[in-house]
Amino acid sequence: MSAFERDPDDVLAELEALLLADAPTHGGRVLSYVYDSGLPELDELAARAARLVQAVNGLDPTTFTSVAAMESAVVGFARRVFHGDAAEVGASEAGADDVVVGSVTSGGTESCLLAVKTARDVWRVARAGTTRTPRIVAPTTVHAAFHKAAHYFGLELDLVPVEPATGAPPPAAIEDRLGDDVALVVLSAPSYPFATLDPIADVAAITASRGIALHVDACIGGFALAFWPDDLPHWDFRVPGVTSLSADLHKYGYAPKGVSVLLTRGRDRQRHQYFATTDWPGYPVVNPTMAGSKPAGPLAAAWAITRVLGHDGFAELTSQAASATRELREVIDATEGLRIVGAPTGPLFAVAVDDRVPVDRRVDPHHWADAAREAGWHVQLQPGRIQSDGTRLPHTTHFTVTPVTDAVVGELAGALVDAAERVRGVPAVDGRELVAGLAAQLPGGSEALSAASAGIDSDGAAALLRAFGLLGGDGAGGAGGALPDRMAPVLALVEALPGPLTERLLIELLARVVEPRD
Ligand SMILES: *Cc1c(COP(=O)(O)O)cnc(C)c1O
């Protein structure tokens, strides 16, 4: 007598069929979202480690002591990598205030959320429980996770324009925004959109002298920059004013999704990250992170990977990513009509149109990305935007280069050059024209669109998405949730429509994609 209604092999075959429709996670054809070491044996190691702890509950490291041992080791590894060891930060003289401690979290977003929550609570306590709204000061290039943190935890996010030429914020512009209501300044190492290594030491000197916390978001690049072959300015705990740092093990730590570290300088500061309550009839709750019950699998995978690779293994993988990055940047630099934005550091960069060449020689980066995708290479489109000082950040194509890229870099470079030739001289999609054209076809005309901007319900949003060709008639997104063939017009819509309307439409799209079909 079996409890099974279906044969497990059949169900797994069904899953394999579903996976065939995904973008490929291995082989270097997707240059965002996935971080492929190129070592199948490392993936196998991660899978075996995760399987061993499958039934363990990470909620309680006193019941499941393996979790405490692995977390301590992973935090220790990260602390060495980011120069937060006692000897390096002089903790023995300075006492508990300078000890770097940390937590393993479920990912970069959770690390960033917790860095903000911690800073907010430290700020509040120092002001005797004030009810004022605290502020985060950060460059416009700061990751969206900090927009989310401000939204979740009730802080104001004060965005400082970056210089379009460099992608970096001038330290003086950050200094101008500081005040008693600032709970946290955030800089990136490097930023996601343009891979800028923000001026961390310069800003830290300012924030430290005013007693303001400084978080370094090294979520994407931390585990690559730490092993980068070129000399870089200090950006980690070697910089005295850095109070916390986030780095994702599920990016350049090559672990499966669901693992990141948040390191904090000072035990007392870090204790504000925790939530504890005994004020209910159940078990006492003490959580350093957001979840209650949580998996130990991603932690175990990261633990195993860091132990097996060690410092030298990370350095070797990083050198492969660095070499592929150098080669791609050279090819793109030599391609008329395209240019690399700013001065990227690490294994990522963004590409914009080079408008110093005649119009008919220019390459629009979004048409270019669509052309590359036709050839099987997935690069990510980023919208342009106007900053609060009126300067314009161009629309770009983003590349995240991983060790496996090195194995396919010649093929990729050739495809990128071909793609540029195919779209050379084709003007960028005009978002405003596109919106006007679509609005004219709506039953209520352009007034329907203005009305929608003021607020729409779920059916209204779905109707607009259908009019824009982004939602199938049955409510499913596109072709069963897949992206449209060309992303350039979609990004042009994102740029041209009012932000709140775009956000509402995207919510509708993503919500409809997961609605049950039957
Ligand atoms: C990826 C990323 C994050 C958020 O990380 P998730 O793991 O996607 O939650 C935060 N900051 C930067 C710079 C990132 O690239």
Side-chain angles (χ1 to χ4, degrees):
M1 183 61 191
S2 164
F4 291 179
E5 186 174 297
R6 285 185 58 190
D7 180 345
D9 287 336
D10 285 353
V11 172
L12 290 177
E14 198 180 322
L15 176 56
E16 278 168 4
L18 289 173
L19 284 165
L20 287 178
D22 283 353
T25 54
H26 287 82
R29 295 200 153 248
V30 178
L31 290 111
S32 59
Y33 300 130
V34 293
Y35 301 80
D36 186 353
S37 67
L39 301 173
E41 57 276 36
L42 204 62
D43 292 339
E44 181 58 24
L45 168 75
R48 285 167 62 194
R51 194 186 170 97
L52 282 173
V53 300
Q54 182 163 270
V56 165
N57 191 342
L59 169 67
D60 184 357
T62 65
T63 303
F64 302 102
T65 53
S66 64
V67 172
M70 289 187 292
E71 183 160 358
S72 163
V74 169
V75 169
F77 177 80
R79 185 167 77 169
R80 273 193 302 287
V81 165
F82 302 123
H83 302 96
D85 271 6
E88 297 197 63
V89 298
S92 49
E93 303 106 73
D97 266 8
D98 256 0
V99 175
V100 173
V101 290
S103 298
V104 170
T105 72
S106 66
T109 297
E110 189 178 26
S111 292
C112 297
L113 290 175
L114 288 169
V116 169
K117 178 237 178 289
T118 303
R120 181 199 66 179
D121 291 356
V122 169
W123 177 89
R124 266 192 197 153
V125 167
R127 283 156 192 77
T130 176
T131 54
R132 282 156 68 206
T133 299
R135 195 152 50 93
I136 304 171
V137 172
T140 50
T141 48
V142 78
H143 194 274
F146 292 92
H147 293 244
K148 189 175 189 175
H151 181 74
Y152 277 13
F153 297 130
L155 293 89
E156 187 194 323
L157 180 61
D158 188 2
L159 293 173
V160 179
V162 297
E163 288 171 314
T166 62
I174 299 213
E175 184 167 21
D176 283 349
R177 304 289 182 94
L178 300 183
D180 185 55
D181 61 334
V182 174
L184 185 66
V185 173
V186 183
L187 295 177
S188 306
S191 70
Y192 187 91
F194 308 131
T196 310
L197 181 56
D198 284 337
I200 289 162
D202 289 347
V203 171
I206 299 165
T207 51
S209 72
R210 302 178 57 148
I212 295 172
L214 172 64
H215 180 79
V216 172
D217 180 11
C219 277
I220 192 160
F223 282 105
L225 289 197
F227 302 98
W228 201 247
D230 310 326
D231 279 341
L232 301 176
H234 289 178
W235 53 271
D236 58 13
F237 285 106
R238 282 172 289 187
V239 179
V242 170
T243 52
S244 55
L245 182 152
S246 50
D248 293 351
L249 285 154
H250 64 202
K251 290 180 181 163
Y252 288 94
Y254 314 108
K257 292 293 178 271
V259 57
S260 168
V261 285
L262 172 60
L263 298 178
T264 303
R265 197 195 296 267
R267 290 195 181 101
D268 286 321
R269 175 184 301 279
Q270 194 245 8
R271 302 314 187 231
H272 290 278
Q273 181 188 313
Y274 280 71
F275 174 79
T277 187
T278 50
D279 193 15
W280 75 308
Y283 56 90
V285 167
V286 194
N287 297 154
T289 56
M290 317 255 291
S293 291
K294 62 182 182 184
L299 166 64
W303 174 86
I305 288 171
T306 53
R307 285 176 106 72
V308 163
L309 283 182
H311 188 282
D312 291 353
F314 270 88
E316 170 56 29
L317 289 174
T318 302
S319 84
Q320 293 169 15
S323 158
T325 305
R326 202 175 318 114
E327 200 162 333
L328 288 175
R329 284 179 57 175
E330 279 167 15
V331 166
I332 292 164
D333 271 335
T335 304
E336 189 187 13
L338 290 171
R339 67 177 174 92
I340 308 267
V341 179
T345 301
L348 38 151
F349 57 87
V351 182
V353 66
D354 184 355
D355 45 22
R356 296 165 305 185
V357 304
V359 174
D360 64 342
R361 302 298 302 159
R362 292 182 192 167
V363 177
D364 174 66
H366 286 182
H367 289 321
W368 181 52
D370 280 338
R373 198 170 104 171
E374 258 172 47
W377 300 91
H378 300 243
V379 284
Q380 195 176 53
L381 293 78
Q382 303 187 126
R385 57 181 302 114
I386 313 262
Q387 302 187 97
S388 59
D389 63 356
T391 55
R392 194 181 163 77
L393 300 177
H395 70 266
T396 58
T397 295
H398 172 102
F399 286 74
T400 293
V401 180
T402 60
V404 79
T405 315
D406 205 31
V408 295
V409 70
E411 203 190 334
L412 170 57
L416 293 174
V417 170
D418 284 352
E421 290 318 317
R422 266 183 286 143
V423 300
R424 183 178 303 287
V426 180
V429 178
D430 184 331
R432 274 169 311 178
E433 214 170 86
L434 189 65
V435 169
L438 290 165
Q441 289 167 30
L442 292 177
S446 62
E447 273 163 43
L449 206 56
S450 323
S453 300
I456 38 173
D457 63 9
S458 163
D459 285 342
L464 268 185
L465 285 168
R466 279 189 204 101
F468 293 164
L470 295 172
L471 195 65
D474 61 349
L483 291 171
D485 288 340
R486 290 179 61 232
M487 287 301 290
V490 178
L491 268 285
L493 275 181
V494 168
E495 284 182 33
L497 288 172
L501 177 59
T502 310
E503 287 157 4
R504 180 65 186 85
L505 293 177
L506 292 174
I507 288 170
E508 198 58 38
L509 182 64
L510 273 286
R512 298 259 172 177
V513 165
V514 298
E515 271 188 26
R517 301 291 205 92
D518 41 31

